[in-house]
Coordinates of all heavy atoms in Angstrom, one line a residue:
M892 N 63.5 97.3 107.5 CA 63.7 96.4 106.3 C 64.6 95.3 106.8 O 65.5 95.4 107.7 CB 64.4 97.2 105.2 CG 64.8 96.4 104.0 SD 65.5 97.4 102.7 CE 65.2 96.3 101.4
A893 N 64.4 94.1 106.3 CA 65.2 92.9 106.6 C 66.6 93.0 106.0 O 66.9 93.8 105.1 CB 64.5 91.7 106.1
D894 N 67.5 92.2 106.6 CA 68.9 92.2 106.1 C 68.9 91.6 104.7 O 68.1 90.8 104.3 CB 69.7 91.3 107.0 CG 70.2 92.0 108.2 OD1 69.9 93.2 108.4 OD2 70.9 91.4 109.0
V895 N 69.8 92.1 103.9 CA 70.0 91.7 102.5 C 71.4 91.2 102.4 O 72.3 91.7 103.0 CB 69.8 92.9 101.5 CG1 70.1 92.5 100.1 CG2 68.4 93.4 101.6
T896 N 71.6 90.1 101.7 CA 72.9 89.6 101.4 C 73.4 89.9 100.0 O 72.6 89.6 99.1 CB 73.0 88.1 101.7 OG1 72.6 87.8 103.1 CG2 74.4 87.5 101.5
Y897 N 74.5 90.5 99.9 CA 75.1 90.8 98.6 C 76.2 89.8 98.3 O 77.0 89.4 99.2 CB 75.7 92.2 98.5 CG 74.6 93.2 98.6 CD1 74.3 93.8 99.8 CD2 73.9 93.7 97.5 CE1 73.4 94.8 99.9 CE2 72.9 94.6 97.6 CZ 72.7 95.2 98.8 OH 71.7 96.2 98.9
Y898 N 76.3 89.3 97.1 CA 77.4 88.4 96.7 C 78.3 89.1 95.7 O 77.8 89.7 94.8 CB 76.8 87.1 96.1 CG 76.0 86.3 97.0 CD1 74.6 86.5 97.0 CD2 76.5 85.6 98.1 CE1 73.8 85.8 97.9 CE2 75.7 84.9 99.0 CZ 74.4 85.0 98.9 OH 73.6 84.4 99.8
V899 N 79.6 89.0 95.9 CA 80.5 89.9 95.1 C 81.7 89.1 94.6 O 82.2 88.2 95.3 CB 81.0 91.1 96.0 CG1 82.0 92.0 95.3 CG2 79.8 91.9 96.6
A900 N 82.1 89.4 93.4 CA 83.4 88.9 92.8 C 84.3 90.1 92.6 O 83.8 91.1 92.1 CB 83.1 88.2 91.5
M901 N 85.6 90.0 93.0 CA 86.5 91.1 92.9 C 87.9 90.6 92.4 O 88.4 89.7 93.1 CB 86.6 91.8 94.2 CG 87.4 93.1 94.2 SD 87.4 94.0 95.7 CE 88.1 92.9 96.9
P902 N 88.4 91.2 91.4 CA 89.7 90.8 90.9 C 90.8 91.5 91.7 O 90.6 92.5 92.3 CB 89.7 91.2 89.4 CG 88.9 92.4 89.4 CD 87.8 92.1 90.5
F903 N 92.0 91.0 91.6 CA 93.2 91.6 92.1 C 94.2 91.8 90.9 O 94.4 90.9 90.1 CB 93.9 90.8 93.2 CG 93.2 91.1 94.5 CD1 92.1 90.4 94.9 CD2 93.7 92.0 95.4 CE1 91.4 90.6 96.1 CE2 93.1 92.2 96.6 CZ 91.9 91.5 97.0
L904 N 94.8 93.0 90.9 CA 95.8 93.4 89.9 C 97.1 93.8 90.7 O 97.1 93.8 91.9 CB 95.3 94.6 89.1 CG 93.8 94.5 88.6 CD1 93.3 95.8 88.2 CD2 93.7 93.4 87.5
Q905 N 98.1 94.1 89.9 CA 99.4 94.6 90.6 C 99.5 96.1 90.2 O 99.3 96.5 89.0 CB 100.6 93.9 90.1 CG 100.7 92.5 90.7 CD 102.0 91.8 90.3 OE1 102.5 92.0 89.2 NE2 102.5 91.0 91.1
D906 N 99.9 96.9 91.2 CA 100.2 98.3 90.9 C 101.6 98.4 90.3 O 102.3 97.4 90.0 CB 100.1 99.2 92.1 CG 101.0 98.9 93.2 OD1 102.0 98.2 93.0 OD2 100.8 99.4 94.3
D907 N 102.1 99.6 90.0 CA 103.4 99.8 89.3 C 104.6 99.3 90.1 O 105.6 98.9 89.6 CB 103.6 101.3 89.0 CG 102.7 101.8 87.9 OD1 102.1 101.0 87.2 OD2 102.4 103.0 87.9
S908 N 104.4 99.2 91.5 CA 105.5 98.7 92.3 C 105.4 97.2 92.5 O 106.2 96.6 93.2 CB 105.5 99.4 93.7 OG 104.3 99.0 94.4
G909 N 104.4 96.5 91.9 CA 104.2 95.1 92.1 C 103.4 94.7 93.2 O 103.2 93.5 93.5
S910 N 102.8 95.6 94.0 CA 101.9 95.3 95.1 C 100.5 95.0 94.6 O 100.1 95.6 93.7 CB 101.9 96.5 96.1 OG 103.1 96.7 96.6
P911 N 99.9 94.0 95.3 CA 98.5 93.7 94.8 C 97.5 94.8 95.2 O 97.7 95.5 96.2 CB 98.2 92.4 95.6 CG 99.2 92.4 96.7 CD 100.3 93.2 96.3
M912 N 96.6 95.0 94.3 CA 95.5 96.0 94.6 C 94.2 95.5 94.1 O 94.2 94.7 93.1 CB 95.9 97.4 93.9 CG 95.9 97.3 92.4 SD 96.3 98.9 91.8 CE 95.4 98.9 90.2
A913 N 93.2 95.8 94.8 CA 91.8 95.4 94.4 C 91.4 96.1 93.1 O 91.6 97.3 92.9 CB 90.8 95.7 95.5
G914 N 90.7 95.3 92.2 CA 90.1 95.8 91.0 C 88.6 96.2 91.3 O 88.2 96.2 92.5
A915 N 87.9 96.4 90.3 CA 86.5 96.7 90.4 C 85.6 95.5 90.8 O 85.6 94.5 90.1 CB 86.0 97.3 89.0
A916 N 84.9 95.6 91.9 CA 84.1 94.6 92.3 C 82.8 94.5 91.5 O 82.3 95.5 91.0 CB 83.7 94.8 93.8
E917 N 82.2 93.3 91.4 CA 81.0 93.1 90.6 C 80.0 92.4 91.5 O 80.3 91.3 92.0 CB 81.2 92.3 89.4 CG 82.0 93.0 88.3 CD 82.1 92.2 87.0 OE1 81.3 91.2 86.8 OE2 83.0 92.5 86.3
E918 N 78.8 92.9 91.7 CA 77.8 92.2 92.4 C 77.2 91.1 91.6 O 77.0 91.2 90.4 CB 76.6 93.2 92.8 CG 75.6 92.6 93.7 CD 74.5 93.6 94.1 OE1 74.7 94.8 93.9 OE2 73.5 93.2 94.5
C919 N 76.9 90.0 92.2 CA 76.4 88.8 91.6 C 75.1 88.4 92.2 O 74.8 88.7 93.3 CB 77.4 87.6 91.7 SG 79.0 88.0 90.9
Q920 N 74.3 87.6 91.5 CA 73.0 87.2 92.0 C 73.0 86.1 93.0 O 72.0 85.9 93.8 CB 72.1 86.8 90.8 CG 71.8 87.9 89.9 CD 70.9 87.5 88.7 OE1 70.6 86.3 88.6 NE2 70.5 88.4 88.0
S921 N 74.0 85.3 93.1 CA 74.1 84.1 94.0 C 75.5 83.8 94.4 O 76.4 84.3 93.7 CB 73.4 82.9 93.3 OG 74.3 82.4 92.3
P922 N 75.7 83.0 95.4 CA 77.1 82.6 95.8 C 77.7 81.8 94.6 O 78.9 82.0 94.4 CB 76.9 81.8 97.0 CG 75.5 81.5 97.2 CD 74.7 82.5 96.4
T923 N 77.0 81.0 94.0 CA 77.5 80.2 92.8 C 78.0 81.1 91.7 O 79.1 80.9 91.2 CB 76.5 79.2 92.3 OG1 76.1 78.4 93.4 CG2 77.0 78.3 91.2
T924 N 77.2 82.1 91.4 CA 77.6 83.0 90.4 C 78.8 83.8 90.8 O 79.7 84.1 89.9 CB 76.4 84.0 90.1 OG1 75.2 83.3 89.7 CG2 76.7 84.9 88.9
A925 N 78.9 84.2 92.0 CA 80.1 85.0 92.5 C 81.3 84.1 92.4 O 82.4 84.6 92.0 CB 79.9 85.4 93.9
L926 N 81.2 82.8 92.7 CA 82.4 81.9 92.7 C 82.8 81.8 91.2 O 84.0 81.8 90.9 CB 82.0 80.6 93.2 CG 81.9 80.5 94.8 CD1 81.2 79.2 95.2 CD2 83.3 80.7 95.4
R927 N 81.9 81.6 90.3 CA 82.2 81.4 88.9 C 82.8 82.7 88.3 O 83.8 82.6 87.6 CB 81.0 81.0 88.1 CG 80.7 79.5 88.1 CD 79.7 79.2 87.0 NE 78.5 78.9 87.8 CZ 77.2 79.2 87.5 NH1 77.0 79.8 86.3 NH2 76.2 78.8 88.2
R928 N 82.3 83.8 88.7 CA 82.8 85.1 88.1 C 84.2 85.4 88.7 O 85.1 85.8 88.0 CB 81.8 86.2 88.5 CG 82.2 87.5 87.9 CD 82.1 87.5 86.4 NE 82.6 88.8 85.9 CZ 83.4 88.9 84.9 NH1 83.9 87.8 84.3 NH2 83.8 90.1 84.5
A929 N 84.4 85.1 90.0 CA 85.7 85.3 90.6 C 86.8 84.4 89.9 O 87.9 84.8 89.6 CB 85.7 85.1 92.1
E930 N 86.4 83.2 89.6 CA 87.3 82.3 89.0 C 87.7 82.8 87.6 O 88.9 82.8 87.2 CB 86.8 80.9 88.9 CG 87.8 79.9 88.3 CD 87.3 78.4 88.3 OE1 86.0 78.2 88.5 OE2 88.1 77.6 88.1
M931 N 86.7 83.3 86.9 CA 87.0 83.8 85.5 C 87.8 85.1 85.6 O 88.7 85.3 84.8 CB 85.6 84.2 84.8 CG 84.9 82.9 84.4 SD 83.3 83.1 83.5 CE 83.1 84.9 83.3
M932 N 87.5 85.9 86.6 CA 88.3 87.2 86.8 C 89.8 86.8 87.1 O 90.7 87.6 86.7 CB 87.8 88.0 88.0 CG 86.5 88.7 87.7 SD 85.9 89.5 89.2 CE 84.7 90.7 88.5
S933 N 90.0 85.7 87.8 CA 91.4 85.4 88.2 C 92.2 85.0 87.0 O 93.5 85.0 87.0 CB 91.4 84.3 89.2 OG 91.0 83.0 88.6
R934 N 91.6 84.7 85.9 CA 92.3 84.2 84.7 C 92.3 85.3 83.6 O 92.9 85.1 82.5 CB 91.6 83.0 84.1 CG 91.6 81.8 85.0 CD 90.9 80.7 84.5 NE 90.9 79.6 85.5 CZ 90.3 78.4 85.3 NH1 89.6 78.2 84.2 NH2 90.4 77.5 86.2
M935 N 91.8 86.5 83.9 CA 91.8 87.6 82.9 C 93.2 88.2 82.8 O 94.0 88.1 83.7 CB 90.8 88.7 83.3 CG 89.4 88.3 83.2 SD 88.2 89.6 83.6 CE 89.0 90.7 84.7
A936 N 93.5 88.7 81.6 CA 94.8 89.3 81.4 C 95.0 90.4 82.4 O 94.1 91.3 82.7 CB 94.9 89.9 80.0
G937 N 96.2 90.4 83.0 CA 96.5 91.5 84.0 C 96.1 91.1 85.4 O 96.5 91.8 86.4
S938 N 95.3 90.1 85.6 CA 94.8 89.7 86.9 C 95.8 88.8 87.6 O 96.4 87.9 86.9 CB 93.4 89.0 86.8 OG 93.0 88.6 88.0
I939 N 96.0 88.9 88.9 CA 96.8 88.0 89.6 C 96.0 87.1 90.5 O 96.5 86.1 91.1 CB 97.9 88.7 90.5 CG1 97.2 89.6 91.5 CG2 98.8 89.5 89.6 CD1 98.1 90.2 92.6
G940 N 94.7 87.3 90.6 CA 93.8 86.5 91.4 C 92.5 87.2 91.5 O 92.2 88.3 91.0
A941 N 91.6 86.6 92.3 CA 90.3 87.2 92.6 C 89.7 86.5 93.8 O 90.1 85.5 94.3 CB 89.3 87.0 91.4
V942 N 88.7 87.2 94.4 CA 88.0 86.6 95.5 C 86.5 86.7 95.3 O 86.0 87.5 94.5 CB 88.3 87.4 96.9 CG1 89.7 87.2 97.3 CG2 87.9 88.8 96.8
A943 N 85.7 85.8 95.9 CA 84.3 85.8 96.0 C 83.9 86.0 97.5 O 84.5 85.3 98.3 CB 83.7 84.6 95.4
F944 N 83.0 86.9 97.8 CA 82.6 87.1 99.2 C 81.2 87.5 99.2 O 80.6 87.9 98.2 CB 83.5 88.1 99.9 CG 83.5 89.5 99.4 CD1 82.6 90.4 99.9 CD2 84.3 89.9 98.3 CE1 82.6 91.7 99.5 CE2 84.3 91.2 97.9 CZ 83.4 92.1 98.4
S945 N 80.6 87.4 100.5 CA 79.3 87.9 100.7 C 79.3 88.9 101.8 O 80.2 88.9 102.6 CB 78.3 86.7 101.0 OG 78.7 86.2 102.3
R946 N 78.3 89.7 101.9 CA 78.2 90.7 102.9 C 76.7 91.0 103.2 O 75.9 91.2 102.2 CB 78.8 92.0 102.5 CG 79.0 93.0 103.6 CD 80.1 94.0 103.3 NE 80.3 94.8 104.5 CZ 80.9 95.9 104.5 NH1 81.3 96.5 103.4 NH2 81.0 96.6 105.6
S947 N 76.3 90.9 104.4 CA 74.9 91.1 104.8 C 74.7 92.3 105.6 O 75.5 92.7 106.4 CB 74.4 89.9 105.6 OG 74.4 88.7 104.8
G948 N 73.5 92.9 105.5 CA 73.2 94.1 106.3 C 71.9 94.7 105.8 O 71.2 94.2 105.0
D949 N 71.6 95.9 106.4 CA 70.4 96.6 106.1 C 70.8 97.9 105.3 O 71.3 98.8 105.8 CB 69.7 97.0 107.4 CG 68.4 97.7 107.2 OD1 68.1 98.2 106.1 OD2 67.6 97.7 108.1
P950 N 70.5 97.8 104.0 CA 70.9 99.0 103.1 C 70.1 100.3 103.4 O 70.6 101.4 103.1 CB 70.6 98.5 101.7 CG 69.6 97.4 101.9 CD 69.9 96.8 103.2
M951 N 69.0 100.2 104.1 CA 68.2 101.4 104.4 C 68.9 102.2 105.5 O 68.8 103.4 105.4 CB 66.8 101.0 104.9 CG 65.9 100.3 103.8 SD 65.6 101.4 102.4 CE 64.5 102.6 103.2
I952 N 69.6 101.6 106.4 CA 70.3 102.3 107.4 C 71.8 102.3 107.2 O 72.6 102.9 108.0 CB 69.9 101.8 108.8 CG1 70.3 100.4 109.0 CG2 68.5 102.1 109.1 CD1 70.0 99.9 110.5
G953 N 72.3 101.6 106.2 CA 73.7 101.5 105.9 C 74.6 100.7 106.8 O 75.8 100.9 106.9
E954 N 74.0 99.8 107.6 CA 74.7 98.9 108.5 C 74.9 97.6 107.8 O 74.0 96.9 107.5 CB 74.0 98.8 109.8 CG 74.1 100.0 110.6 CD 73.5 99.8 112.0 OE1 73.2 98.7 112.4 OE2 73.3 100.8 112.7
F955 N 76.2 97.2 107.7 CA 76.6 95.9 107.2 C 77.6 95.2 108.1 O 78.4 95.8 108.7 CB 77.2 96.1 105.8 CG 76.2 96.5 104.8 CD1 76.0 97.8 104.5 CD2 75.5 95.6 104.0 CE1 75.1 98.3 103.6 CE2 74.6 96.0 103.1 CZ 74.4 97.3 102.9
G956 N 77.4 93.9 108.1 CA 78.4 93.0 108.9 C 79.7 92.9 108.1 O 79.8 93.4 106.9
D957 N 80.6 92.2 108.7 CA 81.9 91.9 108.0 C 81.7 91.0 106.8 O 80.8 90.2 106.8 CB 82.9 91.3 108.9 CG 83.4 92.2 110.0 OD1 83.3 93.4 109.9 OD2 83.8 91.7 111.1
A958 N 82.5 91.2 105.8 CA 82.4 90.4 104.6 C 82.9 88.9 105.0 O 83.7 88.7 105.8 CB 83.4 90.9 103.5
K959 N 82.2 88.0 104.3 CA 82.5 86.6 104.6 C 83.1 86.0 103.3 O 82.5 86.0 102.2 CB 81.3 85.8 104.9 CG 80.8 86.2 106.3 CD 79.6 85.3 106.7 CE 79.3 85.7 108.1 NZ 78.0 86.0 108.4
L960 N 84.4 85.6 103.3 CA 85.1 85.1 102.2 C 84.5 83.8 101.8 O 84.3 82.8 102.6 CB 86.6 84.9 102.5 CG 87.4 84.4 101.4 CD1 87.5 85.4 100.3 CD2 88.8 84.0 101.9
L961 N 84.1 83.7 100.5 CA 83.6 82.4 99.9 C 84.8 81.6 99.4 O 84.9 80.4 99.6 CB 82.6 82.7 98.9 CG 81.3 83.4 99.3 CD1 80.5 83.7 98.1 CD2 80.6 82.7 100.3
R962 N 85.7 82.2 98.7 CA 86.8 81.5 98.1 C 87.8 82.5 97.5 O 87.4 83.6 97.0 CB 86.4 80.5 97.0 CG 87.5 79.6 96.6 CD 87.0 78.4 95.9 NE 88.1 77.7 95.4 CZ 88.0 76.8 94.4 NH1 86.9 76.5 93.9 NH2 89.1 76.1 94.0
K963 N 89.1 82.1 97.5 CA 90.2 82.9 96.8 C 90.6 82.1 95.6 O 90.6 80.9 95.6 CB 91.4 83.0 97.7 CG 91.2 83.9 98.9 CD 92.6 83.9 99.7 CE 92.5 84.6 101.0 NZ 93.8 84.6 101.7
F964 N 91.0 82.8 94.6 CA 91.5 82.2 93.4 C 92.8 83.0 93.0 O 92.9 84.2 93.0 CB 90.6 82.4 92.2 CG 89.3 81.7 92.4 CD1 88.2 82.3 92.9 CD2 89.1 80.3 92.0 CE1 87.0 81.7 93.1 CE2 87.9 79.7 92.2 CZ 86.8 80.4 92.7
G965 N 93.9 82.2 92.7 CA 95.2 82.8 92.3 C 95.9 83.4 93.5 O 95.8 83.0 94.6
D966 N 96.7 84.5 93.2 CA 97.6 85.1 94.1 C 96.9 86.3 94.8 O 97.1 87.4 94.3 CB 98.9 85.5 93.4 CG 100.0 86.0 94.3 OD1 99.9 85.8 95.6 OD2 100.9 86.7 93.9
V967 N 96.2 86.0 95.9 CA 95.5 87.0 96.6 C 96.1 87.2 98.0 O 96.5 86.3 98.6 CB 94.0 86.6 96.7 CG1 93.2 87.6 97.5 CG2 93.4 86.4 95.3
P968 N 96.2 88.5 98.4 CA 96.7 88.7 99.8 C 96.0 87.9 100.8 O 94.8 87.7 100.8 CB 96.5 90.2 100.0 CG 96.3 90.8 98.6 CD 95.7 89.7 97.8
D969 N 96.7 87.5 101.9 CA 96.1 86.8 103.0 C 95.2 87.7 103.8 O 94.2 87.3 104.3 CB 97.2 86.1 103.9 CG 97.8 84.9 103.2 OD1 97.2 84.2 102.4 OD2 99.0 84.7 103.4
D970 N 95.7 88.9 104.0 CA 94.9 89.9 104.8 C 94.0 90.7 103.9 O 94.5 91.6 103.2 CB 95.9 90.7 105.6 CG 95.2 91.7 106.6 OD1 93.9 91.6 106.7 OD2 95.8 92.6 107.1
L971 N 92.7 90.5 104.0 CA 91.8 91.2 103.2 C 91.0 92.2 104.0 O 90.0 92.8 103.6 CB 90.8 90.3 102.5 CG 91.5 89.3 101.5 CD1 90.5 88.3 101.0 CD2 92.1 90.0 100.4
S972 N 91.4 92.4 105.3 CA 90.6 93.2 106.2 C 90.6 94.7 105.8 O 89.7 95.4 106.1 CB 91.2 93.1 107.6 OG 92.5 93.6 107.6
G973 N 91.5 95.1 105.0 CA 91.6 96.5 104.6 C 90.6 96.9 103.4 O 90.5 98.0 103.0
L974 N 90.0 95.9 102.9 CA 89.1 96.1 101.7 C 87.7 96.6 102.1 O 87.1 96.2 103.0 CB 89.0 94.9 100.9 CG 90.3 94.3 100.4 CD1 90.1 93.1 99.6 CD2 91.0 95.4 99.5

């Protein structure tokens, strides 16, 4: 099977200690949709920010490349490698 690219929007919230934590990611149909959704997520109550990113790979064998950041909105950690 050929590689598939997924576009994702993901909000960031704060835990009880005030540290940022990733919220529930949402798959989107296009990079434009992911950008719009992430911007909206960054403005939701309780949100401190959001990111839009893409990730490509072969879902049949479960191999995916690194996520490619499309854009950050709001107060998002600089190091997103742990996500």
Side-chain angles (χ1 to χ4, degrees):
M892 180 176 199
D894 281 357
V895 175
T896 300
Y897 294 97
Y898 300 99
V899 179
M901 185 172 62
F903 278 83
L904 314 164
Q905 284 184 328
D906 64 15
D907 292 337
S908 68
S910 297
M912 64 180 212
E917 291 184 20
E918 186 177 343
C919 300
Q920 293 182 353
S921 70
T923 303
T924 306
L926 288 165
R927 274 191 254 143
R928 184 68 184 130
E930 184 175 15
M931 288 181 0
M932 287 176 162
S933 73
R934 297 177 182 177
M935 293 184 331
S938 176
I939 61 169
V942 294
F944 65 92
S945 66
R946 193 160 185 201
S947 297
D949 187 338
M951 293 299 289
I952 59 175
E954 288 186 11
F955 289 90
D957 292 337
K959 293 186 172 129
L960 181 68
L961 300 175
R962 189 161 174 202
K963 293 180 185 181
F964 297 91
D966 188 16
V967 175
D969 288 328
D970 181 11
L971 299 173
S972 62
L974 301 177

